[in-house]
Amino acid sequence: MFFTNVSHDLRTPLTLIAEPVAQLAAAKNLTPQQQTLIRIADKNTKILQRLINQILDFRKYENGKLNLKLTEIDFAKSVRDWMESFYTIARKRDIKLTLVSSDADEQLPVALDTEKIERVFFNILSNAFKYTPDNGSITVSYGSDGKVLTFSVADVGEGISERDLGNIFDRFYQVDRIHPNGSGIGLSLAKAFVELHGGTIAVESTLKKGSVFTVTLPVKHVAGEVTEAQKNIGGKEVTAELDTIDTSLMVDSDKPLLLIIDDNRDIQKLVSELLADTYNIITASNGKEGLRLSARYVPDLIICDVMMPVMDGLECCRRIKNEVTTSHIPVLMLTACTMDEQRVQGYDSGADGYISKPFNSAVLRAKCTSLIDNRKRIKELWQSSLMPAPAESKAPQPEKKDIPTGDIDDDFYKRFLAVFKAEISNSDLSVDKIASHMGLERSQFYRKIKALTNYAPVELMRRLRLQQGRTLLLTTDKTISEIAYDTGFSTPAYFTKCYRDAYGETPSEVRSKMSR
Ligand code: ADP
């Protein structure tokens, strides 16, 4: 009773916080830092709101005041709609999310309280996401024999110990490793909603192997047309529940990262002060440390002194340019005398430019800007070479071969393409696997691909799959399903969705245009 009263009291002020926060979050003129802060607030008000609603619903259920509002819906379509909101996070975390139906693509009309079953579904699917590591897989299946409708969510995740299995549907029960957003009420409410329908919810699980939650509902029908179930839980709720906010954005993410390598603290300071308004800056005081920092942070630009102890600037630059994780980074050498300049020019260190001390601040700025812009242009070329032009457009698309790249980058990308293309039809192909094929750690691989192409690896791979899909669509007689599987999409529906997102038309529209 106390909980209920408090929850009611909390709801009004919370709404009055949530609304302004949501409006602020949508504002266009926020700095990245403000955006991050407001997103944290927005995310957490959503979580609080959901919690309070859950407590109130649970109380209603216990008092027998929770009613069922049955409407006739197509369950097959609803499941697809509900899952839609989870694909973004699945993509981001490289989790393979699959839908399996035992009645292939047929409609599945049934009368349900859709709002409640959507919540049940949301709860068990988001639990699956919470307790499944990146690169894992989650499978949603459903089917009906006409009398009962069953749906289940299976994850290859942490699993639940035998001791806990008997309790997880109890109110406020949480297994020790508490998820930051958890409260232990979700499953008990899911059970209440399912039982209200006269159904059951069950779980099978093995620790370290994964869990399967299965909901069984009696098939009922009510008079009237099959209506489209209204969707109550959207991408925003899923993000609030499952996505982490990247607080590294708290550093001004709009600014490029500059590494200054110089043994002279005064020069470090001077250059930092000159450029601090335009760049985020890190510093190293010799070539060796510079190398370490450049591999770790993969900055957007490096300014490097020629004369330094431990490892001199030319050696440092040569090694930066020979290391696949850093080879694309522009390096500007600081030289003290014309002798140095000659050395820089004569010595094949791969530097992208040099500037002699004492330097003029305007010249320094201009050189930095031009190096960064150059790199940006190259990135954009990559990006547009991967963003196929709409079918109608006759504008020439940059070819990969027109893009200036160093040998190492070129070789890196070629090797990546070879590894990827050999397995393009494998929808299980993970970023980890490619990275290890390429002899890089996952994070190094990620940064390199991102630095070269502006795409995260998963995104790049999807682009390449789509590109290949488009080529097959336009140049072969293969069916859309064949093309989807050939290019490594787990289902034709997912292929269609991604294709539409990328090209603004569906594969079948492309085909019907061709046959016209
Ligand atoms: P919470 O809001 O804390 O997630 P739930 O009632 O939804 O509460 O879940 C209760 C507990 O059951 C969770 O704390 C978690 O330990 C466990 N659990 C639920 N789903 C899974 C799953 N798919 N894999 C592993 N553990 C799970």
Side-chain angles (χ1 to χ4, degrees), residues 159-170 173 175 202-207 211-213:
I160 304 165
S161 75
E162 228 165 289
R163 185 171 60 94
D164 293 313
L165 262 186
N167 301 320
I168 55 166
F169 292 107
D170 292 348
Y173 187 86
V175 181
V203 55
E204 279 172 61
S205 185
T206 315
L207 211 52
S211 318
V212 188
F213 283 81

Side-chain angles (χ1 to χ4, degrees), residues 66-70 112-113 116 193 195-198 220:
L66 202 60
N67 300 319
L68 274 190
K69 287 183 228 115
L70 294 183
L112 296 171
D113 186 328
K116 296 196 175 62
F193 284 171
E195 286 177 353
L196 213 56
H197 281 81
K220 293 179 192 154

Side-chain angles (χ1 to χ4, degrees), residues 50-51 54 123-124 127-132 153 155 157-160 167-170 172-179 181-189 205 210-213 241:
R50 186 181 53 74
L51 267 177
Q54 282 183 339
N123 180 262
I124 51 185
N127 275 346
F129 271 90
K130 284 181 198 169
Y131 303 104
T132 297
V153 176
D155 66 65
E158 287 180 25
I160 304 165
N167 301 320
I168 55 166
F169 292 107
D170 292 348
F172 302 126
Y173 187 86
Q174 285 188 304
V175 181
D176 309 340
R177 43 197 160 74
I178 299 172
H179 193 275
N181 298 342
S183 61
I185 198 171
L187 281 177
S188 49
L189 195 62
S205 185
S211 318
V212 188
F213 283 81
E241 189 74 22

